[in-house]
Amino acid sequence: NPKPATLRKLVPPGDRIWADPFLWKRGGDSFIFCEEKIYGNPHGHIAVLRLSGDGRLAAPSKSVLMKDYHLSYPFLFEHEGSLYMVPEGGSGRSIDVYRCEEFPDGWQRQATLMRDIQYVDATLLEHEAKWWLFVTIKQGLFALNRDLFLFWADTPLADKWTAHPRNPVVRGLTSARPAGRLFELGGKLFRPSQNCLVRYGHSLRINEVLRLDTKHYEERKVIEVRPDWAEGICANHHIDWRDGMVVMDAQELMPATEMRA
């Protein structure tokens, strides 16, 4: 039951937005990797924010990965002692994995999971000796905000993934599109998702995964965080929870004078 009104605000400078935040800790420091889009630039890129011990910004944002197409949703995971990132790069039509060679800003492409695919928000999960890939795909009658596909492989760096026989495992604008990493709590598995029925990324849902195997997938909505927890908030669509910290994003209507500052 996340309560965004209780969290500390991290407000970007007036010339940019931050979205899709993922937490990571290295030593005694905490970091947020996120999409950063500077107004006037054609594409967003991946940036990192370093936090102080009390959760405040300790330094200006720093670009860590840029391409000639839009990047967002920098999903982070560890495998065999190394840190990896799967940024959303749907315009590049491939799901690429980058290995961290020098933390936090040295990233090299390590693998390509899928090619020639129009997708968003690829999210990995290690569960019961398999790696699972959750991703929404646009193809034929399937839509990016409406159809969630599931695949599995023995390693997160595989270039061949087995499609789940129930694909798309979730259909509907209210709960298909991923909204952050899956997490366990109290022995249960939960998947955050976006409710895009009103508009893209309007609100955040937390779904309990009831069954996940090579033949079945089932989930149920537990709670929905709507953008009504503070004046001026018009959307909230992402969450990450790691090592006792939680980070969310929100879209807030700002006064015109602040936008120009």
Side-chain angles (χ1 to χ4, degrees), residues 177-229:
R177 184 165 175 163
R181 79 176 68 247
L182 286 84
F183 60 92
E184 290 189 9
L185 183 64
K188 298 179 180 181
L189 181 63
F190 297 91
R191 185 184 75 88
S193 68
Q194 300 180 34
N195 184 344
C196 297
L197 184 60
V198 175
R199 49 163 290 190
Y200 157 69
H202 176 259
S203 55
L204 172 73
R205 285 193 171 192
I206 306 295
N207 310 283
E208 181 186 354
V209 177
L210 302 174
R211 192 170 183 181
L212 169 58
D213 57 45
T214 58
K215 294 183 179 179
H216 305 90
Y217 182 81
E218 184 181 356
E219 67 179 33
R220 69 177 183 92
K221 185 186 80 168
V222 174
I223 196 167
E224 183 163 354
V225 183
R226 300 182 183 275
D228 55 6
W229 43 270

Side-chain angles (χ1 to χ4, degrees), residues 11-200:
V11 181
D15 65 342
R16 68 195 64 193
I17 63 168
W18 294 332
D20 300 343
F22 285 92
L23 286 162
W24 203 260
K25 286 191 175 182
R26 179 60 61 97
D29 295 326
S30 298
F31 300 84
I32 295 175
F33 291 82
C34 64
E35 169 196 347
E36 181 174 70
K37 176 68 166 64
I38 298 176
Y39 298 127
N41 287 1
H43 309 296
H45 56 266
I46 304 304
V48 65
L49 314 175
R50 184 166 61 86
L51 304 180
S52 62
D54 61 355
R56 301 177 188 272
L57 287 176
S61 64
K62 183 177 183 180
S63 300
V64 299
L65 188 62
M66 302 183 73
K67 294 291 180 181
D68 59 357
Y69 50 83
H70 184 77
L71 294 178
S72 61
Y73 199 85
F75 179 84
L76 301 169
F77 70 96
E78 278 188 317
H79 177 59
E80 296 181 345
S82 294
L83 173 62
Y84 294 90
M85 178 197 299
V86 185
E88 180 202 309
S91 299
R93 298 190 63 81
S94 64
I95 303 178
D96 295 322
V97 180
Y98 293 80
R99 178 175 175 171
C100 187
E101 303 291 344
E102 184 175 351
F103 190 87
D105 56 351
W107 298 87
Q108 294 292 328
R109 189 166 66 179
Q110 181 77 13
T112 297
L113 309 187
M114 295 183 180
R115 302 177 187 274
D116 194 25
I117 180 174
Q118 190 170 355
Y119 75 96
V120 291
D121 302 343
T123 305
L124 289 165
L125 169 71
E126 187 177 14
H127 178 71
E128 295 185 351
K130 293 185 183 301
W131 282 86
W132 302 86
L133 173 62
F134 296 77
V135 60
T136 55
I137 296 174
K138 183 177 181 180
Q139 181 180 4
L141 298 176
F142 302 120
L144 292 177
N145 292 339
R146 192 193 62 196
D147 298 284
L148 179 69
F149 287 74
L150 183 58
F151 304 85
W152 75 80
D154 293 330
T155 167
L157 305 180
D159 59 1
K160 291 182 174 58
W161 291 75
T162 301
H164 198 283
R166 298 284 181 101
N167 277 339
V169 294
V170 177
R171 296 206 75 188
L173 292 171
T174 59
S175 59
R177 184 165 175 163
R181 79 176 68 247
L182 286 84
F183 60 92
E184 290 189 9
L185 183 64
K188 298 179 180 181
L189 181 63
F190 297 91
R191 185 184 75 88
S193 68
Q194 300 180 34
N195 184 344
C196 297
L197 184 60
V198 175
R199 49 163 290 190
Y200 157 69

Side-chain angles (χ1 to χ4, degrees), residues 11-18 37-40 232 234 250-261:
V11 181
D15 65 342
R16 68 195 64 193
I17 63 168
W18 294 332
K37 176 68 166 64
I38 298 176
Y39 298 127
C234 53
Q251 186 177 49
E252 183 177 12
L253 296 175
M254 303 293 287
T257 52
E258 292 188 33
M259 292 288 289
R260 292 193 297 266

